[in-house]
Amino acid sequence: MTIFILTSGLLLGLPIAFAILVALIWFMTTGEAPYTLRIVATEMFKGLDSYPLLAIPLFILAGELMNESGITRRIIAFANVLVGGFRAGLAHVNIWASVIFAGLSGSAVADTSAIGRVFIPEMEKHGYDRAFAAALTAASSVIGPIIPPSIPVIIYALIVSGVSVPALFLAGIVPGLLLAVFLSIYVMLTVKADTVSGERNIHGTSNRDAIMGGILPLLMPVFVVGSILLGVVTPTEAASFAVCYALVLGLFVYRKISFKRLPQIFSGAMRDSAVILVIIAAVAAANWLLTYNRIPNMVTDWVLGNVDSKTTFLIAVILLFLFVGLFLEGIAAMLVLVPILHPIAVSLGVDPVHFGIVVIFNLMIGLITPPLGLCLFVAESVAGVGMARLIKAIMPFFVVEVLVLIIITFLPDTVTWLPRMMGF
């Protein structure tokens, strides 16, 4: 009955956190001892009673402040100087602006919204199909949570004890850049030169001004990630620094944020943070029930008894997470499945850092897959091309991202060599 209630809630469109809570409350009120309703509240509180979790709302707030500071156009101008001269240059600028933006927000949805509002109409004006522009924006925004700083990485490190945030941050850099390179190659091979025109200097400033304008925004991820890697600060303290840095830029350097706007910005960040934290709390309560009934142990024993190789296990993980990503929000899926699958991966000899990046990359692809891909919805809301056209346009990008996923899964050195080189 519990599974029926959970499934019915999801099918009716109930948010995943509330669907889990409704099912848990029913189970706890109808079940026998030791099941009591008090356990749900207690475990939810325990799930949120964690100092490292403070990094999540702080990084979200930093991203909101950076967006309001007019930094998006500065990033686009900087990226245009770097890659705007290539064939289909504007498409390349779209991709590599996402790479730079990833170091500021760590959020794919924020990336799609901020960059999409600028790029989708701009690309259409220069001859690109509007659906293609929206699909490329959504696909490239997947880079956001992979390149540090990354909210999913912080959550993964909280789930799995013994895996360091700095190691995961470093491990995500090469896969994120690899995805950008593969998307650029696809664009160069498919966009016809005679269909686009007039793409140089779209930012309307000199190259020197564009480069100078990009320096201050680019320093933020350097300071944030660098200070974590050097062991000077914790991820939570680094997130606090990111907020201060973004606030100073917006209020006093660029003067794009007024003090009157701050309450609205803070409330928006609180709302977005609450969505993630409620999911974490609900899944923490659900995980107590699974652990108490030894479900993870039973699954582990069954897998180890039936899966005889690391390769088979990794293929199964890819297929599982790609399927789950169609229906579940990535963080919720990670919170539910990683505590079960991580011990199996370690038992089969999979590097914990490698497995973490594979899982995160896998679930981020779910952001662009129907029927519930968040980046897909955001891109469509900006482009207004209709979901059918957008899904058709994004399928080739989905194939490219799965190809990169296969590469980083079965060539683990693409993920682990940088952390290993830095001593992690």
Side-chain angles (χ1 to χ4, degrees):
M1 186 63 180
T2 305
I3 299 297
F4 174 77
I5 293 174
L6 176 60
T7 306
S8 299
L10 293 174
L11 292 176
L12 290 172
L14 201 64
I16 177 66
F18 296 115
I20 291 172
L21 289 176
V22 169
L24 277 176
I25 289 170
W26 183 89
F27 185 87
M28 291 297 182
T29 52
T30 59
E32 299 177 357
Y35 303 126
T36 64
L37 193 58
R38 183 179 59 191
I39 292 174
V40 177
T42 303
E43 293 303 319
M44 287 180 68
F45 179 80
K46 286 182 180 178
L48 295 178
D49 187 20
S50 171
Y51 174 72
L53 273 182
L54 286 173
I56 295 172
L58 288 171
F59 273 127
I60 290 174
L61 177 57
E64 291 279 348
L65 291 168
M66 290 298 244
N67 288 343
E68 288 288 328
S69 300
I71 284 177
T72 301
R73 287 196 172 271
R74 295 175 183 272
I75 290 172
I76 291 171
F78 185 85
N80 189 70
V81 173
L82 298 180
V83 296
F86 292 109
R87 181 168 172 263
L90 194 52
H92 293 295
V93 177
N94 189 326
I95 295 166
W96 290 93
S98 291
V99 173
I100 300 171
F101 200 85
L104 304 179
S105 74
S107 167
V109 175
D111 187 339
T112 305
S113 178
I115 291 181
R117 295 181 191 281
V118 177
F119 262 106
I120 292 172
E122 192 71 35
M123 290 180 70
E124 184 183 32
K125 185 176 21 175
H126 287 85
Y128 291 88
D129 177 71
R130 192 173 179 87
F132 175 88
L136 178 62
T137 302
S140 61
S141 68
V142 171
I143 299 168
I146 300 169
I147 290 180
S150 166
I151 292 170
V153 160
I154 293 171
I155 294 174
Y156 187 92
L158 288 171
I159 301 170
V160 179
S161 59
V163 179
S164 72
V165 172
L168 286 169
F169 273 1
L170 287 170
I173 293 174
V174 172
L177 295 177
L178 198 62
L179 177 54
V181 169
F182 271 68
L183 288 173
S184 290
I185 292 172
Y186 173 77
V187 163
M188 292 186 74
L189 294 176
T190 57
V191 175
K192 297 179 181 178
D194 58 355
T195 62
V196 295
S197 61
E199 299 184 90
R200 295 307 305 275
N201 199 26
I202 61 164
H203 48 82
T205 60
S206 67
N207 287 350
R208 180 182 177 278
D209 290 341
I211 292 172
M212 296 302 295
I215 289 177
L216 287 178
L218 288 173
L219 285 177
M220 192 192 90
V222 172
F223 286 143
V224 169
V225 179
S227 61
I228 294 173
L229 295 178
L230 292 173
V232 178
V233 296
T234 66
T236 304
E237 292 165 343
S240 303
F241 170 79
V243 171
C244 294
Y245 189 87
L247 200 58
V248 169
L249 283 186
L251 286 174
F252 306 114
V253 179
Y254 298 143
R255 298 182 180 179
K256 294 289 186 179
I257 300 177
S258 65
F259 283 98
K260 292 181 179 180
R261 281 281 297 156
L262 287 181
Q264 187 176 347
I265 295 170
F266 275 71
S267 64
M270 289 168 60
R271 182 188 62 247
D272 294 343
S273 302
V275 172
I276 297 174
L277 294 174
V278 168
I279 292 173
I280 292 173
V283 174
N287 281 340
W288 177 90
L289 182 61
L290 294 173
T291 304
Y292 182 80
N293 289 282
R294 300 190 73 255
I295 302 298
N297 302 77
M298 289 187 284
V299 173
T300 301
D301 293 341
W302 183 87
V303 172
L304 292 177
N306 292 274
V307 175
D308 56 358
S309 74
K310 180 166 66 175
T311 301
T312 306
F313 172 73
L314 289 173
I315 292 172
V317 166
I318 289 176
L319 295 176
L320 173 63
F321 278 108
L322 286 178
F323 176 76
V324 169
L326 297 175
F327 306 103
L328 283 184
E329 194 274 333
I331 290 174
M334 190 162 59
L335 289 165
V336 172
L337 294 174
V338 166
I340 298 173
L341 295 174
H342 179 264
I344 302 173
V346 173
S347 299
L348 291 170
V350 181
D351 184 281
V353 172
H354 176 226
F355 185 69
I357 296 301
V358 168
V359 168
I360 293 168
F361 197 109
N362 222 316
L363 289 172
M364 292 309 103
I365 293 177
L367 293 171
I368 64 166
T369 54
L372 299 177
L374 289 178
C375 290
L376 209 58
F377 286 114
V378 173
E380 201 287 320
S381 69
V382 174
V385 295
M387 192 57 73
R389 275 186 66 193
L390 183 56
I391 290 172
K392 182 180 178 181
I394 210 165
M395 281 300 105
F397 296 110
F398 169 76
V399 173
V400 171
E401 296 193 354
V402 171
L403 176 61
V404 177
L405 172 62
I406 292 170
I407 291 173
I408 68 169
T409 301
F410 298 106
L411 294 176
D413 283 346
T414 56
V415 175
T416 58
W417 77 269
L418 187 55
R420 193 166 55 244
M421 186 178 69
M422 297 296 292
F424 291 97

